Amino acid sequence: PPPPPPPQPQRRDFVIVDVNNVRGGRRFDRDVDEAVAGLVCWASSLPGRPAVVLAVDHGPQACTYALEGTRCLVCFAGPNMEADDTIVCSTYFCARRAEPVALVS
């Protein structure tokens, strides 16, 4: 008999948040650290436990950090890009994998 097909990767839901747009909606009354901390708390309450990407404008370099004990990633756009650029890349990545995406801006 032929070998069984390889297991399919588990499908995940993603929520992508533009941190500075959320801050702007609150009239920038929180700095980035406070906004990220609040969004991590918010993300932990989401039904279905989606992966949450917190996209941040600029930063000293383009990099992403997984926050231990959460399903959150903080993605800094780097000196030459904005969060919108990383959101486009993240959305494209998810779409290529047929992963559902919700954008919060």
Side-chain angles (χ1 to χ4, degrees):
Q8 294 297 314
Q10 184 178 9
R11 188 172 162 164
R12 284 177 266 173
D13 291 341
F14 284 85
V15 175
I16 303 172
V17 180
D18 186 321
V19 173
N20 286 319
N21 284 4
V22 171
R23 288 180 60 227
R26 296 187 46 86
R27 300 178 190 236
F28 294 96
D29 65 345
R30 303 283 188 268
D31 64 21
V32 171
D33 292 346
E34 291 174 312
V36 166
L39 289 166
V40 168
C41 288
W42 168 78
S44 69
S45 70
L46 293 175
R49 300 188 28 89
V52 177
V53 178
L54 303 174
V56 181
D57 290 328
H58 310 298
Q61 65 182 11
C63 56
T64 300
Y65 297 96
L67 300 181
E68 189 173 342
T70 74
R71 295 181 51 87
C72 293
L73 303 169
V74 179
C75 182
F76 292 93
N80 301 316
M81 295 195 313
E82 295 183 354
D84 294 342
D85 301 307
T86 60
I87 289 168
V88 169
C89 293
S90 298
T91 303
Y92 177 76
F93 171 81
C94 292
R96 295 268 317 203
R97 296 173 45 118
E99 305 283 4
V101 177
L103 297 176
V104 180
S105 178

